[in-house]
Amino acid sequence: IAFYMYLLVDSEEHPESNKIFWLVPAQLLWMNLHIFFSIGFMMVAGFLVEKVIRQLAGRRWLWGDPFIKKLTLLFAAVIAVSFINPSGPIATFYQYRLHILSNYPILVAENETTLSFLNDSAPWTDLSVSFFIPLVILLSASFLFSVLRAVRKGGPFPIFYLLASLGSAAAAFYMTRGLPLFGLIFLPVISANFNDIFITARHRLRERWPKYSAIFAKVLPLTLIIAIIFLITLRIQGKL
């Protein structure tokens, strides 16, 4: 997911580059590794939808944009390679059916809805579930800043990020196995939405309090390391 996100965003900054086609072999590998392979072509589709909407909003000819043509070709390619596996094309439909319907012969806890875990008498036994609703609220609020930025600076609204956020949040609510997916989408999206605020705060801090700015520059990486160690400890204890 991180690899897809990186290449998709990078292709927008460098539309002339063909690095984005590395997603084709990546999709082939993903299809043969994990049941979440459909997320690959969904991300490409969401990115393509954003470009199409912007093109139509600007009242420009849809196929006049070579980048849209490139994304359309990419989308067709990742769909096509998703049918290549040792068990034949039928395995693709079978995995997708399992993925959507969770039609397993035995009860699998990670396929239970997140709501069922939130209704548990002791929800804090799993922090990832307990943090889900607050993080959804925070992520939703972050898009308000995207709207303000689009209005104030006249820039584009991040449609792809919105679609990815809605899709991952819905998947995480539908089944707990979607929580890691939500987390992987949450991090880059909220970073992008709050980026202007961070840059403004950093500039003012450096301008008004240069000494404190230098301290923060050293403290923040240390804080990140401590936070990672804390999360690893929680994971070892089975709380995450």
Side-chain angles (χ1 to χ4, degrees), residues 7 14 53 90 118 169 185 192 194 203-204 219 227:
L7 284 183
H14 307 94
I53 292 176
I90 193 64
L118 290 172
I185 297 297
F194 285 135
H203 176 72
R204 290 183 179 179
V219 170

Side-chain angles (χ1 to χ4, degrees), residues 10-177:
D10 180 75
S11 69
E12 185 173 32
E13 297 177 355
H14 307 94
E16 74 287 348
S17 174
N18 289 321
K19 287 193 299 182
I20 196 172
F21 286 105
W22 278 107
L23 293 182
V24 178
Q27 180 68 24
L28 176 61
L29 182 65
W30 198 351
M31 193 280 154
N32 287 278
L33 285 179
H34 197 268
I35 200 171
F36 269 6
F37 71 94
S38 58
I39 294 171
F41 52 75
M42 287 181 184
M43 291 180 70
V44 175
F47 200 72
L48 175 59
V49 166
E50 178 185 73
K51 307 311 169 195
V52 169
I53 292 176
R54 289 181 182 175
Q55 190 77 353
L56 294 176
R59 296 182 178 181
R60 295 184 294 268
W61 184 44
L62 190 60
W63 293 109
D65 188 344
F67 188 46
I68 289 182
K69 293 180 181 179
K70 181 183 291 188
L71 289 175
T72 302
L73 177 61
L74 174 66
F75 179 63
V78 294
I79 289 288
V81 298
S82 296
F83 289 93
I84 303 175
N85 60 83
S87 299
I90 193 64
T92 301
F93 292 105
Y94 181 69
Q95 285 199 57
Y96 198 64
R97 180 169 174 267
L98 287 178
H99 175 51
I100 296 297
L101 301 179
S102 304
N103 189 20
Y104 294 96
I106 59 174
L107 179 64
V108 180
E110 65 178 8
N111 287 340
E112 293 295 304
T113 64
T114 301
L115 183 62
S116 65
F117 281 84
L118 290 172
N119 290 333
D120 188 88
S121 58
W124 284 96
T125 55
D126 193 322
L127 293 181
S128 58
V129 175
S130 303
F131 286 148
F132 174 60
I133 297 299
L135 291 182
V136 169
I137 295 174
L138 179 61
L139 184 60
S140 301
S142 72
F143 280 99
L144 295 176
F145 293 94
S146 296
V147 173
L148 293 175
R149 181 174 64 244
V151 172
R152 186 174 65 252
K153 296 183 178 180
F157 180 78
I159 300 173
F160 169 65
Y161 284 158
L162 178 62
L163 293 174
S165 299
L166 291 173
S168 61
F173 186 80
Y174 179 69
M175 61 175 67
T176 55
R177 72 156 58 200

Side-chain angles (χ1 to χ4, degrees), residues 5 135 139 165 180-193:
M5 185 71 78
L135 291 182
L139 184 60
S165 299
L181 165 64
F182 173 74
L184 286 168
I185 297 297
F186 173 88
L187 289 173
V189 172
I190 202 165
S191 297
N193 288 345

